[in-house]
Amino acid sequence: MYFNRRELLLGGAAAGGVLISGCHSAGSTWLVLTEEQARTLTALCDQIIPADDWPSASQAGVLTFIDRQLTGPYRRHRKAYRQGIESTAKLAQSRFNTELAKCSPAQQFEIAQALEHQNPAFFALVRNHTMQGYYGSPRHGGNKDGVSYRMLGLDFPLLRGRAQYDLTAGPK
Amino acid sequence: MKHVNAVIVGAGAAGGIVAKELATAGLSVVLFERGPWYTAHDCRKDDLRNQRVTVLGNAFGPEDDGNPRVLVDSKGNVREILPSEGSYNNNAACVGGGTLSYGAQAWRFMPQDFRMRSTYGAPAGSSLEDWPISYDDLEPFYDKAEHEIGVSGDVSTDPFHGLRKRDLPMPPLPPNKEMDILWPAAKRLGLHPFNVPMLRNSVPYNGRGPCMRCRWCCGYACEVDAKNGSQNTVIPIALSTGNCELRTQSVVRDILTDNRGRATGVSYIDPRGNSLEQYADIVIVSACAIESARLLLNSKSRLFPNGLGNRHDQVGRNLQGHHYTGAAGYFPFEVYDDIGPGVSVGICDYNHGTPGLHGGGMLANEFTRLPYQMTDRLPEGTPSWGLAHKQAMRQWHKRSIIIMGPTQQIPSPNARVTLDPKIRDKYGIPVARLEGNVHPHTFEIGNRQSERAAAWLKEAGAIHTSSMNWSPDTVSAGQHQAGTCRMGSDPRGSVVNRDCQLHDVDNLFVIDGSVHVTNGGFNPVLTIMAVAYYASDALVRNWKGTRFRS
């Protein structure tokens, strides 16, 4: 090997940084999404996992999860997100003449239901990624403070055995 | 490159054992592994990136970039598959192979599992056959695997297992809540529950400590190194002899042969991308069923235009894994305590002997589940999203039990590995193309197993059960992949003889799950290990100093 493991990881991180800055949408606080896309996606994800006594998808960091994965393993889904969010926005525009984020919760629910029928592939993608963000490992940006673990009554931080890793640290 | 006695391709369950057996017998060995050597520190407890949930990639390889396979379903649709997709039928690519991150169930096949054709007759369209070796031939080597690699459990209440000379070396782990509920329910049904054997320390063993019973088990490297694989048992022993060199991140391209048709070594690509050759007296292929077949098929020459051992078009056929079916039960009280490894109680009442069915499989409760795995395992009729889904997660996560089992597959000659004519991996080597389907009788057996799992859960108090049952239209192989270089006495219907030696090339061996004639109704790893010890024993006995004679 040319590199030891540490050098390789640092090299990877640097390359990742270039990539991230390269796709940073101008004026957006997100890595890949524009502010407008993020607003629409937030509304959609919060219908998939709404708030009750426990946080909604976006409150638990699902948007951070999806946005971050779109620079990594889900780079291949970028186009699907761009087109899917656009079709979601159009749906809201045509039915309620406003953007999804400004619709009432009942209207947002209706749009989510309509999207599930009209664009099942995109809806399934967002649904699955929302579940991953909410119920997956906190290290990927979602499941903030292990909130879904605690909601399900699972130990977090893990009491049994040892939790010697910082589970909130970023991806590899 | 220095000439050695033996080259072994693949440092997994079988390759590690063969390396240890040959190195301790005094042979010089080079052990190739295409992946790196991970340790307990690579556990990472990542719910979305491990070897079981791979939505963000495989934790222990192969990587998604540059390692595709091609899948052909039974309708003839052709699709390129990424390693992190389920239909890739991945195992792992690292030192230890699947044994680094497996669930570690340590089953012996039953005596009938080696005599499936004589017990049942072959269903139409199948290639059901007997093994050329019996349970009794393997018993001493099962015993050796249980003691050298390390197995805990207690099968004394299972009346169906074959004769065994010794008990398991370690007692079972203390019961979890599921076991307390399922054991008496099984007894009430007249079944014979027992403690599932596991390649996992329940007490300190082999210089390592016991299981700490965490949630992140099957699919992860064990954080406290209590799970026993080849990477923390036999491979370190092989290396400590001084006779074995392990070359990681080295990909074997093909097996070299001379003009007399004998293997002379392998060509491989080192971690820097250089193409090199390693010469040896004997070559042992232990790359797992799909990759072993691919390597033989890719080793073409003037004498072997269709690949090595493939004179009768047998290499790559009879690909099989297990058809997993079962049921989920939903209870009005808490039944799940989240204590690893999860699998605790099993039954073998349904492995054999059901009129009209060619076999069956064991049934046992499932591994500890992570919340994301539960999102698609809620009772039938639960909406897949929205408030109702979230509430159902809270309601059922700790009030459900899954019982599943590996239905023994009826092998089919059309379920096979070939080489894709177009697609190549990042090294330019033609990739595996998986085609065919599971023999349909397997689905009938699977349906019955699913009903039985549901009945067990109902007896245990489930108010509702969902059957987990499907009939995929593709091959099934996965981590349990087997069968592609079948062991047999007839060269027209098999690839290797009973000592795992190729019929066509006497200094070339395939030692891994590929040689399984049938794959039992059990997780196959202990059988892969036993066959590796058995074949190594024959190989060392037949080794005549500087070269190998059969």
Side-chain angles (χ1 to χ4, degrees), chain B residues 24 27 63 82 89 106 111 122 197 199 222 235 237 239 262 279 286 316 358 428 437 472 477 495 503 521 529 545:
Chain B
T24 51
L27 279 75
E63 294 164 4
L82 291 173
N89 286 292
L199 286 140
C222 178
I235 290 174
I237 297 175
L239 298 180
R262 287 173 58 89
Y279 302 106
S286 303
H358 289 55
N437 198 348
V495 178
H503 292 303
M529 290 171 169

PDB file of all heavy atoms in Angstrom, chain B residues 24 27 63 82 89 106 111 122 197 199 222 235 237 239 262 279 286 316 358 428 437 472 477 495 503 521 529 545:
ATOM      1  N   THR B  24       0.618 -25.507   9.269  1.00  0.00           N
ATOM      2  CA  THR B  24       1.091 -26.255  10.441  1.00  0.00           C
ATOM      3  C   THR B  24       1.642 -27.621  10.032  1.00  0.00           C
ATOM      4  O   THR B  24       2.414 -28.224  10.770  1.00  0.00           O
ATOM      5  CB  THR B  24      -0.027 -26.457  11.488  1.00  0.00           C
ATOM      6  OG1 THR B  24      -1.177 -26.990  10.832  1.00  0.00           O
ATOM      7  CG2 THR B  24      -0.396 -25.162  12.169  1.00  0.00           C
ATOM      8  N   LEU B  27       3.822 -26.993   4.979  1.00  0.00           N
ATOM      9  CA  LEU B  27       3.831 -26.504   3.602  1.00  0.00           C
ATOM     10  C   LEU B  27       3.968 -24.982   3.607  1.00  0.00           C
ATOM     11  O   LEU B  27       3.460 -24.310   4.508  1.00  0.00           O
ATOM     12  CB  LEU B  27       2.525 -26.872   2.880  1.00  0.00           C
ATOM     13  CG  LEU B  27       2.413 -28.291   2.314  1.00  0.00           C
ATOM     14  CD1 LEU B  27       2.169 -29.288   3.431  1.00  0.00           C
ATOM     15  CD2 LEU B  27       1.290 -28.359   1.284  1.00  0.00           C
ATOM     16  N   GLU B  63     -16.843  -2.827  -2.410  1.00  0.00           N
ATOM     17  CA  GLU B  63     -17.350  -1.466  -2.607  1.00  0.00           C
ATOM     18  C   GLU B  63     -18.260  -1.425  -3.824  1.00  0.00           C
ATOM     19  O   GLU B  63     -18.140  -2.238  -4.718  1.00  0.00           O
ATOM     20  CB  GLU B  63     -16.182  -0.502  -2.872  1.00  0.00           C
ATOM     21  CG  GLU B  63     -15.247  -0.326  -1.719  1.00  0.00           C
ATOM     22  CD  GLU B  63     -13.949   0.313  -2.170  1.00  0.00           C
ATOM     23  OE1 GLU B  63     -13.834   0.669  -3.359  1.00  0.00           O
ATOM     24  OE2 GLU B  63     -13.049   0.437  -1.324  1.00  0.00           O
ATOM     25  N   LEU B  82     -25.389  -3.512  -8.228  1.00  0.00           N
ATOM     26  CA  LEU B  82     -24.340  -3.000  -7.340  1.00  0.00           C
ATOM     27  C   LEU B  82     -24.157  -3.946  -6.150  1.00  0.00           C
ATOM     28  O   LEU B  82     -25.118  -4.556  -5.696  1.00  0.00           O
ATOM     29  CB  LEU B  82     -24.727  -1.627  -6.793  1.00  0.00           C
ATOM     30  CG  LEU B  82     -24.778  -0.441  -7.745  1.00  0.00           C
ATOM     31  CD1 LEU B  82     -25.336   0.778  -7.030  1.00  0.00           C
ATOM     32  CD2 LEU B  82     -23.388  -0.159  -8.281  1.00  0.00           C
ATOM     33  N   ASN B  89     -26.352 -10.792  -4.214  1.00  0.00           N
ATOM     34  CA  ASN B  89     -26.041 -12.033  -3.493  1.00  0.00           C
ATOM     35  C   ASN B  89     -24.629 -11.988  -2.934  1.00  0.00           C
ATOM     36  O   ASN B  89     -23.828 -12.895  -3.127  1.00  0.00           O
ATOM     37  CB  ASN B  89     -26.248 -13.249  -4.398  1.00  0.00           C
ATOM     38  CG  ASN B  89     -27.712 -13.543  -4.620  1.00  0.00           C
ATOM     39  OD1 ASN B  89     -28.416 -13.940  -3.698  1.00  0.00           O
ATOM     40  ND2 ASN B  89     -28.202 -13.292  -5.823  1.00  0.00           N
ATOM     41  N   ALA B 106     -24.026 -22.043  14.307  1.00  0.00           N
ATOM     42  CA  ALA B 106     -23.050 -23.119  14.076  1.00  0.00           C
ATOM     43  C   ALA B 106     -23.750 -24.468  13.960  1.00  0.00           C
ATOM     44  O   ALA B 106     -23.675 -25.290  14.869  1.00  0.00           O
ATOM     45  CB  ALA B 106     -22.031 -23.133  15.212  1.00  0.00           C
ATOM     46  N   PRO B 111     -27.803 -36.157   9.253  1.00  0.00           N
ATOM     47  CA  PRO B 111     -27.350 -37.250   8.372  1.00  0.00           C
ATOM     48  C   PRO B 111     -28.147 -37.323   7.059  1.00  0.00           C
ATOM     49  O   PRO B 111     -27.565 -37.546   6.000  1.00  0.00           O
ATOM     50  CB  PRO B 111     -27.569 -38.495   9.242  1.00  0.00           C
ATOM     51  CG  PRO B 111     -27.421 -37.999  10.641  1.00  0.00           C
ATOM     52  CD  PRO B 111     -27.971 -36.598  10.641  1.00  0.00           C
ATOM     53  N   ALA B 122     -35.458 -37.455  -6.713  1.00  0.00           N
ATOM     54  CA  ALA B 122     -35.272 -36.107  -7.244  1.00  0.00           C
ATOM     55  C   ALA B 122     -36.546 -35.599  -7.897  1.00  0.00           C
ATOM     56  O   ALA B 122     -37.070 -36.247  -8.794  1.00  0.00           O
ATOM     57  CB  ALA B 122     -34.128 -36.105  -8.250  1.00  0.00           C
ATOM     58  N   PRO B 197     -26.786 -23.466  18.608  1.00  0.00           N
ATOM     59  CA  PRO B 197     -25.319 -23.384  18.699  1.00  0.00           C
ATOM     60  C   PRO B 197     -24.777 -22.175  17.927  1.00  0.00           C
ATOM     61  O   PRO B 197     -25.274 -21.849  16.849  1.00  0.00           O
ATOM     62  CB  PRO B 197     -24.854 -24.700  18.058  1.00  0.00           C
ATOM     63  CG  PRO B 197     -25.976 -25.132  17.180  1.00  0.00           C
ATOM     64  CD  PRO B 197     -27.245 -24.574  17.755  1.00  0.00           C
ATOM     65  N   LEU B 199     -21.112 -19.756  16.916  1.00  0.00           N
ATOM     66  CA  LEU B 199     -19.662 -19.559  16.916  1.00  0.00           C
ATOM     67  C   LEU B 199     -19.356 -18.256  17.653  1.00  0.00           C
ATOM     68  O   LEU B 199     -18.903 -17.273  17.082  1.00  0.00           O
ATOM     69  CB  LEU B 199     -19.138 -19.513  15.484  1.00  0.00           C
ATOM     70  CG  LEU B 199     -19.097 -20.872  14.781  1.00  0.00           C
ATOM     71  CD1 LEU B 199     -19.524 -20.761  13.335  1.00  0.00           C
ATOM     72  CD2 LEU B 199     -17.711 -21.476  14.869  1.00  0.00           C
ATOM     73  N   CYS B 222     -17.621  -7.961  15.577  1.00  0.00           N
ATOM     74  CA  CYS B 222     -17.918  -7.907  17.008  1.00  0.00           C
ATOM     75  C   CYS B 222     -16.969  -6.941  17.709  1.00  0.00           C
ATOM     76  O   CYS B 222     -15.753  -7.054  17.606  1.00  0.00           O
ATOM     77  CB  CYS B 222     -17.786  -9.291  17.630  1.00  0.00           C
ATOM     78  SG  CYS B 222     -18.087  -9.273  19.396  1.00  0.00           S
ATOM     79  N   ILE B 235      -6.454 -18.063  11.067  1.00  0.00           N
ATOM     80  CA  ILE B 235      -5.509 -17.279  10.250  1.00  0.00           C
ATOM     81  C   ILE B 235      -4.323 -16.797  11.100  1.00  0.00           C
ATOM     82  O   ILE B 235      -3.165 -16.949  10.683  1.00  0.00           O
ATOM     83  CB  ILE B 235      -6.230 -16.145   9.492  1.00  0.00           C
ATOM     84  CG1 ILE B 235      -7.113 -16.763   8.398  1.00  0.00           C
ATOM     85  CG2 ILE B 235      -5.227 -15.175   8.860  1.00  0.00           C
ATOM     86  CD1 ILE B 235      -8.000 -15.793   7.658  1.00  0.00           C
ATOM     87  N   ILE B 237      -3.088 -18.307  13.598  1.00  0.00           N
ATOM     88  CA  ILE B 237      -2.266 -19.499  13.840  1.00  0.00           C
ATOM     89  C   ILE B 237      -1.426 -19.798  12.597  1.00  0.00           C
ATOM     90  O   ILE B 237      -0.226 -20.071  12.683  1.00  0.00           O
ATOM     91  CB  ILE B 237      -3.141 -20.721  14.201  1.00  0.00           C
ATOM     92  CG1 ILE B 237      -3.891 -20.470  15.510  1.00  0.00           C
ATOM     93  CG2 ILE B 237      -2.275 -21.985  14.317  1.00  0.00           C
ATOM     94  CD1 ILE B 237      -4.867 -21.574  15.877  1.00  0.00           C
ATOM     95  N   LEU B 239      -0.396 -17.748  10.336  1.00  0.00           N
ATOM     96  CA  LEU B 239       0.676 -16.764  10.189  1.00  0.00           C
ATOM     97  C   LEU B 239       1.789 -17.001  11.213  1.00  0.00           C
ATOM     98  O   LEU B 239       2.964 -16.802  10.912  1.00  0.00           O
ATOM     99  CB  LEU B 239       0.109 -15.345  10.341  1.00  0.00           C
ATOM    100  CG  LEU B 239      -0.943 -14.943   9.296  1.00  0.00           C
ATOM    101  CD1 LEU B 239      -1.424 -13.525   9.542  1.00  0.00           C
ATOM    102  CD2 LEU B 239      -0.404 -15.074   7.878  1.00  0.00           C
ATOM    103  N   ARG B 262      -1.582 -29.005 -15.910  1.00  0.00           N
ATOM    104  CA  ARG B 262      -1.507 -28.898 -14.457  1.00  0.00           C
ATOM    105  C   ARG B 262      -1.453 -27.442 -14.038  1.00  0.00           C
ATOM    106  O   ARG B 262      -0.918 -26.600 -14.750  1.00  0.00           O
ATOM    107  CB  ARG B 262      -0.276 -29.644 -13.924  1.00  0.00           C
ATOM    108  CG  ARG B 262      -0.431 -31.172 -13.989  1.00  0.00           C
ATOM    109  CD  ARG B 262       0.856 -31.873 -13.614  1.00  0.00           C
ATOM    110  NE  ARG B 262       1.311 -31.498 -12.275  1.00  0.00           N
ATOM    111  CZ  ARG B 262       0.948 -32.131 -11.158  1.00  0.00           C
ATOM    112  NH1 ARG B 262       0.150 -33.164 -11.217  1.00  0.00           N
ATOM    113  NH2 ARG B 262       1.396 -31.725  -9.988  1.00  0.00           N
ATOM    114  N   TYR B 279       3.777 -18.587  -8.341  1.00  0.00           N
ATOM    115  CA  TYR B 279       3.808 -19.997  -8.728  1.00  0.00           C
ATOM    116  C   TYR B 279       3.722 -20.901  -7.506  1.00  0.00           C
ATOM    117  O   TYR B 279       4.197 -20.557  -6.425  1.00  0.00           O
ATOM    118  CB  TYR B 279       5.075 -20.288  -9.540  1.00  0.00           C
ATOM    119  CG  TYR B 279       5.148 -19.405 -10.765  1.00  0.00           C
ATOM    120  CD1 TYR B 279       6.038 -18.344 -10.827  1.00  0.00           C
ATOM    121  CD2 TYR B 279       4.259 -19.609 -11.823  1.00  0.00           C
ATOM    122  CE1 TYR B 279       6.067 -17.509 -11.931  1.00  0.00           C
ATOM    123  CE2 TYR B 279       4.281 -18.778 -12.925  1.00  0.00           C
ATOM    124  CZ  TYR B 279       5.181 -17.731 -12.971  1.00  0.00           C
ATOM    125  OH  TYR B 279       5.197 -16.904 -14.057  1.00  0.00           O
ATOM    126  N   SER B 286     -10.874 -20.909  -2.714  1.00  0.00           N
ATOM    127  CA  SER B 286     -11.801 -20.811  -1.585  1.00  0.00           C
ATOM    128  C   SER B 286     -12.443 -19.431  -1.592  1.00  0.00           C
ATOM    129  O   SER B 286     -12.412 -18.713  -0.601  1.00  0.00           O
ATOM    130  CB  SER B 286     -11.054 -21.028  -0.268  1.00  0.00           C
ATOM    131  OG  SER B 286     -10.388 -22.263  -0.266  1.00  0.00           O
ATOM    132  N   GLY B 316     -20.400 -23.714 -12.041  1.00  0.00           N
ATOM    133  CA  GLY B 316     -21.359 -22.614 -11.922  1.00  0.00           C
ATOM    134  C   GLY B 316     -22.799 -23.067 -11.809  1.00  0.00           C
ATOM    135  O   GLY B 316     -23.663 -22.279 -11.423  1.00  0.00           O
ATOM    136  N   HIS B 358     -39.998 -32.610   0.132  1.00  0.00           N
ATOM    137  CA  HIS B 358     -38.619 -33.082   0.051  1.00  0.00           C
ATOM    138  C   HIS B 358     -37.773 -32.282   1.027  1.00  0.00           C
ATOM    139  O   HIS B 358     -37.009 -31.404   0.637  1.00  0.00           O
ATOM    140  CB  HIS B 358     -38.070 -32.914  -1.367  1.00  0.00           C
ATOM    141  CG  HIS B 358     -38.662 -33.869  -2.351  1.00  0.00           C
ATOM    142  ND1 HIS B 358     -40.007 -33.993  -2.562  1.00  0.00           N
ATOM    143  CD2 HIS B 358     -38.059 -34.757  -3.198  1.00  0.00           C
ATOM    144  CE1 HIS B 358     -40.220 -34.916  -3.485  1.00  0.00           C
ATOM    145  NE2 HIS B 358     -39.060 -35.391  -3.887  1.00  0.00           N
ATOM    146  N   GLY B 428     -10.856  -5.146 -15.233  1.00  0.00           N
ATOM    147  CA  GLY B 428     -11.033  -5.659 -16.582  1.00  0.00           C
ATOM    148  C   GLY B 428     -11.350  -7.139 -16.644  1.00  0.00           C
ATOM    149  O   GLY B 428     -11.258  -7.760 -17.701  1.00  0.00           O
ATOM    150  N   ASN B 437     -33.577 -19.750 -11.529  1.00  0.00           N
ATOM    151  CA  ASN B 437     -34.506 -19.504 -10.430  1.00  0.00           C
ATOM    152  C   ASN B 437     -34.390 -20.640  -9.429  1.00  0.00           C
ATOM    153  O   ASN B 437     -33.718 -21.635  -9.661  1.00  0.00           O
ATOM    154  CB  ASN B 437     -35.928 -19.414 -11.005  1.00  0.00           C
ATOM    155  CG  ASN B 437     -36.890 -18.741 -10.053  1.00  0.00           C
ATOM    156  OD1 ASN B 437     -36.578 -18.534  -8.879  1.00  0.00           O
ATOM    157  ND2 ASN B 437     -38.061 -18.406 -10.546  1.00  0.00           N
ATOM    158  N   PRO B 472     -39.443 -15.472  -5.041  1.00  0.00           N
ATOM    159  CA  PRO B 472     -38.661 -14.594  -5.917  1.00  0.00           C
ATOM    160  C   PRO B 472     -38.488 -15.203  -7.308  1.00  0.00           C
ATOM    161  O   PRO B 472     -38.534 -16.423  -7.460  1.00  0.00           O
ATOM    162  CB  PRO B 472     -37.319 -14.474  -5.197  1.00  0.00           C
ATOM    163  CG  PRO B 472     -37.238 -15.658  -4.309  1.00  0.00           C
ATOM    164  CD  PRO B 472     -38.642 -15.995  -3.927  1.00  0.00           C
ATOM    165  N   ALA B 477     -28.908 -16.956  -3.391  1.00  0.00           N
ATOM    166  CA  ALA B 477     -27.562 -17.411  -3.017  1.00  0.00           C
ATOM    167  C   ALA B 477     -27.127 -16.700  -1.739  1.00  0.00           C
ATOM    168  O   ALA B 477     -27.047 -17.291  -0.685  1.00  0.00           O
ATOM    169  CB  ALA B 477     -26.586 -17.144  -4.157  1.00  0.00           C
ATOM    170  N   VAL B 495     -17.823 -31.399 -10.294  1.00  0.00           N
ATOM    171  CA  VAL B 495     -16.594 -30.695 -10.647  1.00  0.00           C
ATOM    172  C   VAL B 495     -15.399 -31.222  -9.866  1.00  0.00           C
ATOM    173  O   VAL B 495     -14.296 -31.330 -10.386  1.00  0.00           O
ATOM    174  CB  VAL B 495     -16.772 -29.174 -10.408  1.00  0.00           C
ATOM    175  CG1 VAL B 495     -15.485 -28.418 -10.712  1.00  0.00           C
ATOM    176  CG2 VAL B 495     -17.908 -28.633 -11.284  1.00  0.00           C
ATOM    177  N   HIS B 503     -11.737 -32.969 -10.889  1.00  0.00           N
ATOM    178  CA  HIS B 503     -11.632 -34.193 -11.690  1.00  0.00           C
ATOM    179  C   HIS B 503     -10.596 -34.013 -12.794  1.00  0.00           C
ATOM    180  O   HIS B 503      -9.885 -34.943 -13.148  1.00  0.00           O
ATOM    181  CB  HIS B 503     -12.984 -34.518 -12.344  1.00  0.00           C
ATOM    182  CG  HIS B 503     -14.048 -34.924 -11.383  1.00  0.00           C
ATOM    183  ND1 HIS B 503     -13.917 -35.983 -10.517  1.00  0.00           N
ATOM    184  CD2 HIS B 503     -15.281 -34.425 -11.155  1.00  0.00           C
ATOM    185  CE1 HIS B 503     -15.018 -36.114  -9.792  1.00  0.00           C
ATOM    186  NE2 HIS B 503     -15.862 -35.185 -10.162  1.00  0.00           N
ATOM    187  N   GLY B 521     -30.840 -27.695   5.731  1.00  0.00           N
ATOM    188  CA  GLY B 521     -31.845 -26.728   6.170  1.00  0.00           C
ATOM    189  C   GLY B 521     -31.274 -25.865   7.269  1.00  0.00           C
ATOM    190  O   GLY B 521     -31.956 -25.587   8.268  1.00  0.00           O
ATOM    191  N   MET B 529     -16.734 -25.164   7.211  1.00  0.00           N
ATOM    192  CA  MET B 529     -15.518 -25.340   8.028  1.00  0.00           C
ATOM    193  C   MET B 529     -15.145 -26.821   8.147  1.00  0.00           C
ATOM    194  O   MET B 529     -13.969 -27.189   8.009  1.00  0.00           O
ATOM    195  CB  MET B 529     -15.741 -24.748   9.424  1.00  0.00           C
ATOM    196  CG  MET B 529     -15.820 -23.228   9.428  1.00  0.00           C
ATOM    197  SD  MET B 529     -16.348 -22.601  11.043  1.00  0.00           S
ATOM    198  CE  MET B 529     -16.024 -20.843  10.837  1.00  0.00           C
ATOM    199  N   GLY B 545       6.128 -34.690   0.122  1.00  0.00           N
ATOM    200  CA  GLY B 545       7.358 -33.908   0.156  1.00  0.00           C
ATOM    201  C   GLY B 545       7.285 -32.679  -0.705  1.00  0.00           C
ATOM    202  O   GLY B 545       6.676 -31.708  -0.334  1.00  0.00           O
TER     203      GLY B 545
END
